[in-house]
PDB file of all heavy atoms in Angstrom:
ATOM      1  N   TRP A 660     -13.989  -7.143 -16.037  1.00 79.00           N
ATOM      2  CA  TRP A 660     -13.990  -8.243 -15.077  1.00 79.00           C
ATOM      3  C   TRP A 660     -15.125  -9.219 -15.394  1.00 79.00           C
ATOM      4  O   TRP A 660     -14.941 -10.434 -15.351  1.00 79.00           O
ATOM      5  CB  TRP A 660     -14.161  -7.694 -13.655  1.00 79.00           C
ATOM      6  CG  TRP A 660     -12.909  -7.211 -13.026  1.00 79.00           C
ATOM      7  CD1 TRP A 660     -12.324  -5.987 -13.203  1.00 79.00           C
ATOM      8  CD2 TRP A 660     -12.068  -7.924 -12.114  1.00 79.00           C
ATOM      9  NE1 TRP A 660     -11.178  -5.903 -12.457  1.00 79.00           N
ATOM     10  CE2 TRP A 660     -10.999  -7.059 -11.766  1.00 79.00           C
ATOM     11  CE3 TRP A 660     -12.136  -9.196 -11.550  1.00 79.00           C
ATOM     12  CZ2 TRP A 660      -9.999  -7.448 -10.889  1.00 79.00           C
ATOM     13  CZ3 TRP A 660     -11.130  -9.579 -10.661  1.00 79.00           C
ATOM     14  CH2 TRP A 660     -10.076  -8.701 -10.351  1.00 79.00           C
ATOM     15  N   LEU A 661     -16.293  -8.665 -15.707  1.00 85.00           N
ATOM     16  CA  LEU A 661     -17.445  -9.515 -15.996  1.00 85.00           C
ATOM     17  C   LEU A 661     -17.199 -10.352 -17.246  1.00 85.00           C
ATOM     18  O   LEU A 661     -17.521 -11.550 -17.273  1.00 85.00           O
ATOM     19  CB  LEU A 661     -18.698  -8.654 -16.166  1.00 85.00           C
ATOM     20  CG  LEU A 661     -19.986  -9.402 -16.499  1.00 85.00           C
ATOM     21  CD1 LEU A 661     -20.310 -10.433 -15.420  1.00 85.00           C
ATOM     22  CD2 LEU A 661     -21.144  -8.423 -16.671  1.00 85.00           C
ATOM     23  N   ARG A 662     -16.627  -9.748 -18.276  1.00 86.00           N
ATOM     24  CA  ARG A 662     -16.338 -10.492 -19.506  1.00 86.00           C
ATOM     25  C   ARG A 662     -15.378 -11.640 -19.228  1.00 86.00           C
ATOM     26  O   ARG A 662     -15.565 -12.761 -19.720  1.00 86.00           O
ATOM     27  CB  ARG A 662     -15.755  -9.550 -20.569  1.00 86.00           C
ATOM     28  CG  ARG A 662     -16.772  -8.566 -21.148  1.00 86.00           C
ATOM     29  CD  ARG A 662     -16.213  -7.907 -22.398  1.00 86.00           C
ATOM     30  NE  ARG A 662     -15.041  -7.091 -22.127  1.00 86.00           N
ATOM     31  CZ  ARG A 662     -15.091  -5.803 -21.816  1.00 86.00           C
ATOM     32  NH1 ARG A 662     -16.259  -5.188 -21.725  1.00 86.00           N
ATOM     33  NH2 ARG A 662     -13.978  -5.123 -21.593  1.00 86.00           N
ATOM     34  N   GLU A 663     -14.344 -11.382 -18.446  1.00 85.00           N
ATOM     35  CA  GLU A 663     -13.383 -12.432 -18.111  1.00 85.00           C
ATOM     36  C   GLU A 663     -14.051 -13.533 -17.283  1.00 85.00           C
ATOM     37  O   GLU A 663     -13.787 -14.724 -17.485  1.00 85.00           O
ATOM     38  CB  GLU A 663     -12.202 -11.842 -17.339  1.00 85.00           C
ATOM     39  CG  GLU A 663     -11.298 -10.932 -18.150  1.00 85.00           C
ATOM     40  CD  GLU A 663     -10.435 -11.710 -19.130  1.00 85.00           C
ATOM     41  OE1 GLU A 663     -10.284 -12.940 -18.954  1.00 85.00           O
ATOM     42  OE2 GLU A 663      -9.910 -11.092 -20.071  1.00 85.00           O
ATOM     43  N   ALA A 664     -14.899 -13.130 -16.350  1.00 87.00           N
ATOM     44  CA  ALA A 664     -15.579 -14.113 -15.494  1.00 87.00           C
ATOM     45  C   ALA A 664     -16.506 -14.996 -16.320  1.00 87.00           C
ATOM     46  O   ALA A 664     -16.567 -16.217 -16.119  1.00 87.00           O
ATOM     47  CB  ALA A 664     -16.355 -13.401 -14.394  1.00 87.00           C
ATOM     48  N   GLU A 665     -17.233 -14.402 -17.250  1.00 91.00           N
ATOM     49  CA  GLU A 665     -18.158 -15.176 -18.088  1.00 91.00           C
ATOM     50  C   GLU A 665     -17.404 -16.175 -18.961  1.00 91.00           C
ATOM     51  O   GLU A 665     -17.824 -17.329 -19.104  1.00 91.00           O
ATOM     52  CB  GLU A 665     -18.986 -14.224 -18.946  1.00 91.00           C
ATOM     53  CG  GLU A 665     -20.009 -13.419 -18.145  1.00 91.00           C
ATOM     54  CD  GLU A 665     -20.698 -12.352 -18.981  1.00 91.00           C
ATOM     55  OE1 GLU A 665     -20.120 -11.945 -20.021  1.00 91.00           O
ATOM     56  OE2 GLU A 665     -21.794 -11.917 -18.587  1.00 91.00           O
ATOM     57  N   ALA A 666     -16.281 -15.735 -19.528  1.00 91.00           N
ATOM     58  CA  ALA A 666     -15.495 -16.635 -20.378  1.00 91.00           C
ATOM     59  C   ALA A 666     -14.918 -17.785 -19.559  1.00 91.00           C
ATOM     60  O   ALA A 666     -14.941 -18.949 -19.986  1.00 91.00           O
ATOM     61  CB  ALA A 666     -14.371 -15.858 -21.062  1.00 91.00           C
ATOM     62  N   ALA A 667     -14.400 -17.470 -18.370  1.00 90.00           N
ATOM     63  CA  ALA A 667     -13.815 -18.503 -17.519  1.00 90.00           C
ATOM     64  C   ALA A 667     -14.886 -19.479 -17.041  1.00 90.00           C
ATOM     65  O   ALA A 667     -14.656 -20.695 -16.975  1.00 90.00           O
ATOM     66  CB  ALA A 667     -13.108 -17.859 -16.324  1.00 90.00           C
ATOM     67  N   ALA A 668     -16.063 -18.961 -16.701  1.00 91.00           N
ATOM     68  CA  ALA A 668     -17.149 -19.839 -16.233  1.00 91.00           C
ATOM     69  C   ALA A 668     -17.569 -20.814 -17.326  1.00 91.00           C
ATOM     70  O   ALA A 668     -17.796 -22.003 -17.054  1.00 91.00           O
ATOM     71  CB  ALA A 668     -18.338 -18.986 -15.785  1.00 91.00           C
ATOM     72  N   ARG A 669     -17.656 -20.341 -18.565  1.00 93.00           N
ATOM     73  CA  ARG A 669     -18.011 -21.245 -19.673  1.00 93.00           C
ATOM     74  C   ARG A 669     -16.971 -22.336 -19.834  1.00 93.00           C
ATOM     75  O   ARG A 669     -17.297 -23.516 -20.023  1.00 93.00           O
ATOM     76  CB  ARG A 669     -18.143 -20.443 -20.978  1.00 93.00           C
ATOM     77  CG  ARG A 669     -19.406 -19.598 -21.061  1.00 93.00           C
ATOM     78  CD  ARG A 669     -19.631 -19.095 -22.484  1.00 93.00           C
ATOM     79  NE  ARG A 669     -18.538 -18.222 -22.922  1.00 93.00           N
ATOM     80  CZ  ARG A 669     -18.526 -16.913 -22.759  1.00 93.00           C
ATOM     81  NH1 ARG A 669     -19.547 -16.303 -22.152  1.00 93.00           N
ATOM     82  NH2 ARG A 669     -17.517 -16.188 -23.206  1.00 93.00           N
ATOM     83  N   ALA A 670     -15.697 -21.967 -19.758  1.00 93.00           N
ATOM     84  CA  ALA A 670     -14.621 -22.938 -19.937  1.00 93.00           C
ATOM     85  C   ALA A 670     -14.607 -23.979 -18.821  1.00 93.00           C
ATOM     86  O   ALA A 670     -14.232 -25.133 -19.046  1.00 93.00           O
ATOM     87  CB  ALA A 670     -13.275 -22.214 -20.000  1.00 93.00           C
ATOM     88  N   LEU A 671     -15.025 -23.569 -17.632  1.00 92.00           N
ATOM     89  CA  LEU A 671     -14.999 -24.476 -16.478  1.00 92.00           C
ATOM     90  C   LEU A 671     -16.331 -25.193 -16.268  1.00 92.00           C
ATOM     91  O   LEU A 671     -16.467 -25.993 -15.333  1.00 92.00           O
ATOM     92  CB  LEU A 671     -14.639 -23.684 -15.214  1.00 92.00           C
ATOM     93  CG  LEU A 671     -13.226 -23.097 -15.173  1.00 92.00           C
ATOM     94  CD1 LEU A 671     -13.089 -22.097 -14.024  1.00 92.00           C
ATOM     95  CD2 LEU A 671     -12.182 -24.205 -15.026  1.00 92.00           C
ATOM     96  N   GLY A 672     -17.312 -24.913 -17.107  1.00 92.00           N
ATOM     97  CA  GLY A 672     -18.612 -25.548 -16.957  1.00 92.00           C
ATOM     98  C   GLY A 672     -19.399 -25.049 -15.767  1.00 92.00           C
ATOM     99  O   GLY A 672     -20.193 -25.793 -15.180  1.00 92.00           O
ATOM    100  N   LEU A 673     -19.196 -23.797 -15.406  1.00 91.00           N
ATOM    101  CA  LEU A 673     -19.902 -23.204 -14.270  1.00 91.00           C
ATOM    102  C   LEU A 673     -21.056 -22.339 -14.753  1.00 91.00           C
ATOM    103  O   LEU A 673     -20.966 -21.687 -15.795  1.00 91.00           O
ATOM    104  CB  LEU A 673     -18.943 -22.345 -13.443  1.00 91.00           C
ATOM    105  CG  LEU A 673     -17.768 -23.061 -12.780  1.00 91.00           C
ATOM    106  CD1 LEU A 673     -16.832 -22.051 -12.136  1.00 91.00           C
ATOM    107  CD2 LEU A 673     -18.263 -24.061 -11.749  1.00 91.00           C
ATOM    108  N   ARG A 674     -22.106 -22.324 -13.992  1.00 90.00           N
ATOM    109  CA  ARG A 674     -23.234 -21.431 -14.267  1.00 90.00           C
ATOM    110  C   ARG A 674     -23.062 -20.173 -13.431  1.00 90.00           C
ATOM    111  O   ARG A 674     -22.959 -20.237 -12.212  1.00 90.00           O
ATOM    112  CB  ARG A 674     -24.550 -22.120 -13.932  1.00 90.00           C
ATOM    113  CG  ARG A 674     -25.774 -21.276 -14.265  1.00 90.00           C
ATOM    114  CD  ARG A 674     -27.042 -21.991 -13.857  1.00 90.00           C
ATOM    115  NE  ARG A 674     -28.222 -21.149 -14.019  1.00 90.00           N
ATOM    116  CZ  ARG A 674     -29.416 -21.449 -13.536  1.00 90.00           C
ATOM    117  NH1 ARG A 674     -29.585 -22.583 -12.858  1.00 90.00           N
ATOM    118  NH2 ARG A 674     -30.445 -20.637 -13.715  1.00 90.00           N
ATOM    119  N   LEU A 675     -23.017 -19.032 -14.105  1.00 88.00           N
ATOM    120  CA  LEU A 675     -22.721 -17.765 -13.440  1.00 88.00           C
ATOM    121  C   LEU A 675     -23.993 -16.941 -13.287  1.00 88.00           C
ATOM    122  O   LEU A 675     -24.725 -16.721 -14.250  1.00 88.00           O
ATOM    123  CB  LEU A 675     -21.689 -16.988 -14.268  1.00 88.00           C
ATOM    124  CG  LEU A 675     -20.924 -15.858 -13.572  1.00 88.00           C
ATOM    125  CD1 LEU A 675     -20.036 -16.417 -12.469  1.00 88.00           C
ATOM    126  CD2 LEU A 675     -20.088 -15.094 -14.595  1.00 88.00           C
ATOM    127  N   GLN A 676     -24.251 -16.490 -12.064  1.00 86.00           N
ATOM    128  CA  GLN A 676     -25.388 -15.609 -11.796  1.00 86.00           C
ATOM    129  C   GLN A 676     -24.842 -14.259 -11.352  1.00 86.00           C
ATOM    130  O   GLN A 676     -24.143 -14.165 -10.344  1.00 86.00           O
ATOM    131  CB  GLN A 676     -26.281 -16.184 -10.695  1.00 86.00           C
ATOM    132  CG  GLN A 676     -27.373 -15.249 -10.200  1.00 86.00           C
ATOM    133  CD  GLN A 676     -28.494 -15.055 -11.200  1.00 86.00           C
ATOM    134  OE1 GLN A 676     -28.549 -15.748 -12.212  1.00 86.00           O
ATOM    135  NE2 GLN A 676     -29.396 -14.139 -10.926  1.00 86.00           N
ATOM    136  N   THR A 677     -25.122 -13.200 -12.114  1.00 86.00           N
ATOM    137  CA  THR A 677     -24.606 -11.871 -11.807  1.00 86.00           C
ATOM    138  C   THR A 677     -25.647 -11.059 -11.049  1.00 86.00           C
ATOM    139  O   THR A 677     -26.795 -10.958 -11.470  1.00 86.00           O
ATOM    140  CB  THR A 677     -24.227 -11.129 -13.095  1.00 86.00           C
ATOM    141  OG1 THR A 677     -23.269 -11.903 -13.814  1.00 86.00           O
ATOM    142  CG2 THR A 677     -23.628  -9.768 -12.772  1.00 86.00           C
ATOM    143  N   LEU A 678     -25.223 -10.491  -9.936  1.00 85.00           N
ATOM    144  CA  LEU A 678     -26.063  -9.602  -9.141  1.00 85.00           C
ATOM    145  C   LEU A 678     -25.363  -8.248  -9.029  1.00 85.00           C
ATOM    146  O   LEU A 678     -24.135  -8.168  -9.067  1.00 85.00           O
ATOM    147  CB  LEU A 678     -26.309 -10.187  -7.752  1.00 85.00           C
ATOM    148  CG  LEU A 678     -27.059 -11.524  -7.742  1.00 85.00           C
ATOM    149  CD1 LEU A 678     -26.945 -12.188  -6.385  1.00 85.00           C
ATOM    150  CD2 LEU A 678     -28.522 -11.301  -8.102  1.00 85.00           C
ATOM    151  N   GLU A 679     -26.151  -7.188  -8.887  1.00 87.00           N
ATOM    152  CA  GLU A 679     -25.590  -5.842  -8.913  1.00 87.00           C
ATOM    153  C   GLU A 679     -25.845  -5.098  -7.606  1.00 87.00           C
ATOM    154  O   GLU A 679     -26.888  -5.265  -6.973  1.00 87.00           O
ATOM    155  CB  GLU A 679     -26.191  -5.048 -10.082  1.00 87.00           C
ATOM    156  CG  GLU A 679     -25.867  -5.650 -11.444  1.00 87.00           C
ATOM    157  CD  GLU A 679     -26.460  -4.862 -12.594  1.00 87.00           C
ATOM    158  OE1 GLU A 679     -27.311  -3.965 -12.323  1.00 87.00           O
ATOM    159  OE2 GLU A 679     -26.085  -5.118 -13.744  1.00 87.00           O
ATOM    160  N   ALA A 680     -24.856  -4.292  -7.231  1.00 84.00           N
ATOM    161  CA  ALA A 680     -24.988  -3.411  -6.069  1.00 84.00           C
ATOM    162  C   ALA A 680     -24.244  -2.123  -6.395  1.00 84.00           C
ATOM    163  O   ALA A 680     -23.041  -2.145  -6.607  1.00 84.00           O
ATOM    164  CB  ALA A 680     -24.416  -4.067  -4.820  1.00 84.00           C
ATOM    165  N   ARG A 681     -24.968  -1.033  -6.451  1.00 80.00           N
ATOM    166  CA  ARG A 681     -24.367   0.251  -6.811  1.00 80.00           C
ATOM    167  C   ARG A 681     -23.892   1.048  -5.608  1.00 80.00           C
ATOM    168  O   ARG A 681     -23.185   2.044  -5.759  1.00 80.00           O
ATOM    169  CB  ARG A 681     -25.368   1.079  -7.623  1.00 80.00           C
ATOM    170  CG  ARG A 681     -25.676   0.491  -8.985  1.00 80.00           C
ATOM    171  CD  ARG A 681     -26.807   1.228  -9.671  1.00 80.00           C
ATOM    172  NE  ARG A 681     -27.021   0.725 -11.024  1.00 80.00           N
ATOM    173  CZ  ARG A 681     -27.691  -0.382 -11.316  1.00 80.00           C
ATOM    174  NH1 ARG A 681     -28.200  -1.110 -10.327  1.00 80.00           N
ATOM    175  NH2 ARG A 681     -27.837  -0.787 -12.556  1.00 80.00           N
ATOM    176  N   ASN A 682     -24.286   0.648  -4.422  1.00 75.00           N
ATOM    177  CA  ASN A 682     -23.882   1.360  -3.211  1.00 75.00           C
ATOM    178  C   ASN A 682     -23.971   0.388  -2.039  1.00 75.00           C
ATOM    179  O   ASN A 682     -24.534  -0.705  -2.165  1.00 75.00           O
ATOM    180  CB  ASN A 682     -24.775   2.591  -2.986  1.00 75.00           C
ATOM    181  CG  ASN A 682     -26.251   2.238  -2.983  1.00 75.00           C
ATOM    182  OD1 ASN A 682     -26.701   1.421  -2.179  1.00 75.00           O
ATOM    183  ND2 ASN A 682     -27.016   2.850  -3.885  1.00 75.00           N
ATOM    184  N   PRO A 683     -23.418   0.767  -0.892  1.00 73.00           N
ATOM    185  CA  PRO A 683     -23.423  -0.158   0.251  1.00 73.00           C
ATOM    186  C   PRO A 683     -24.820  -0.591   0.670  1.00 73.00           C
ATOM    187  O   PRO A 683     -25.001  -1.702   1.180  1.00 73.00           O
ATOM    188  CB  PRO A 683     -22.754   0.675   1.351  1.00 73.00           C
ATOM    189  CG  PRO A 683     -21.869   1.625   0.623  1.00 73.00           C
ATOM    190  CD  PRO A 683     -22.628   1.979  -0.630  1.00 73.00           C
ATOM    191  N   GLN A 684     -25.825   0.269   0.455  1.00 76.00           N
ATOM    192  CA  GLN A 684     -27.175  -0.078   0.866  1.00 76.00           C
ATOM    193  C   GLN A 684     -27.734  -1.258   0.067  1.00 76.00           C
ATOM    194  O   GLN A 684     -28.614  -1.986   0.546  1.00 76.00           O
ATOM    195  CB  GLN A 684     -28.103   1.134   0.700  1.00 76.00           C
ATOM    196  CG  GLN A 684     -27.822   2.288   1.653  1.00 76.00           C
ATOM    197  CD  GLN A 684     -26.560   3.057   1.318  1.00 76.00           C
ATOM    198  OE1 GLN A 684     -26.180   3.145   0.145  1.00 76.00           O
ATOM    199  NE2 GLN A 684     -25.908   3.622   2.321  1.00 76.00           N
ATOM    200  N   GLU A 685     -27.242  -1.454  -1.157  1.00 83.00           N
ATOM    201  CA  GLU A 685     -27.753  -2.528  -2.005  1.00 83.00           C
ATOM    202  C   GLU A 685     -27.008  -3.852  -1.807  1.00 83.00           C
ATOM    203  O   GLU A 685     -27.432  -4.872  -2.340  1.00 83.00           O
ATOM    204  CB  GLU A 685     -27.668  -2.114  -3.478  1.00 83.00           C
ATOM    205  CG  GLU A 685     -28.581  -0.942  -3.836  1.00 83.00           C
ATOM    206  CD  GLU A 685     -28.515  -0.592  -5.311  1.00 83.00           C
ATOM    207  OE1 GLU A 685     -27.758  -1.249  -6.054  1.00 83.00           O
ATOM    208  OE2 GLU A 685     -29.219   0.352  -5.727  1.00 83.00           O
ATOM    209  N   ILE A 686     -25.911  -3.816  -1.061  1.00 82.00           N
ATOM    210  CA  ILE A 686     -25.108  -5.026  -0.905  1.00 82.00           C
ATOM    211  C   ILE A 686     -25.855  -6.095  -0.116  1.00 82.00           C
ATOM    212  O   ILE A 686     -25.832  -7.281  -0.457  1.00 82.00           O
ATOM    213  CB  ILE A 686     -23.758  -4.695  -0.247  1.00 82.00           C
ATOM    214  CG1 ILE A 686     -22.900  -3.865  -1.209  1.00 82.00           C
ATOM    215  CG2 ILE A 686     -23.015  -5.978   0.143  1.00 82.00           C
ATOM    216  CD1 ILE A 686     -21.558  -3.457  -0.657  1.00 82.00           C
ATOM    217  N   ASP A 687     -26.543  -5.687   0.972  1.00 82.00           N
ATOM    218  CA  ASP A 687     -27.256  -6.669   1.798  1.00 82.00           C
ATOM    219  C   ASP A 687     -28.309  -7.414   0.990  1.00 82.00           C
ATOM    220  O   ASP A 687     -28.428  -8.646   1.080  1.00 82.00           O
ATOM    221  CB  ASP A 687     -27.906  -5.975   3.000  1.00 82.00           C
ATOM    222  CG  ASP A 687     -26.889  -5.526   4.033  1.00 82.00           C
ATOM    223  OD1 ASP A 687     -25.760  -6.057   3.990  1.00 82.00           O
ATOM    224  OD2 ASP A 687     -27.223  -4.662   4.867  1.00 82.00           O
ATOM    225  N   SER A 688     -29.088  -6.685   0.185  1.00 84.00           N
ATOM    226  CA  SER A 688     -30.125  -7.342  -0.608  1.00 84.00           C
ATOM    227  C   SER A 688     -29.508  -8.234  -1.676  1.00 84.00           C
ATOM    228  O   SER A 688     -30.058  -9.302  -1.998  1.00 84.00           O
ATOM    229  CB  SER A 688     -31.037  -6.298  -1.255  1.00 84.00           C
ATOM    230  OG  SER A 688     -30.299  -5.413  -2.082  1.00 84.00           O
TER     231      SER A 688
END
Side-chain angles (χ1 to χ4, degrees):
W660 277 82
L661 179 58
R662 289 193 296 270
E663 291 287 342
E665 289 173 338
R669 286 193 297 270
L671 294 168
L673 297 174
R674 183 182 173 192
L675 198 65
Q676 171 72 9
T677 303
L678 298 166
E679 298 180 349
R681 293 172 175 80
N682 54 58
Q684 292 73 30
E685 294 182 359
I686 292 179
D687 288 341
S688 58

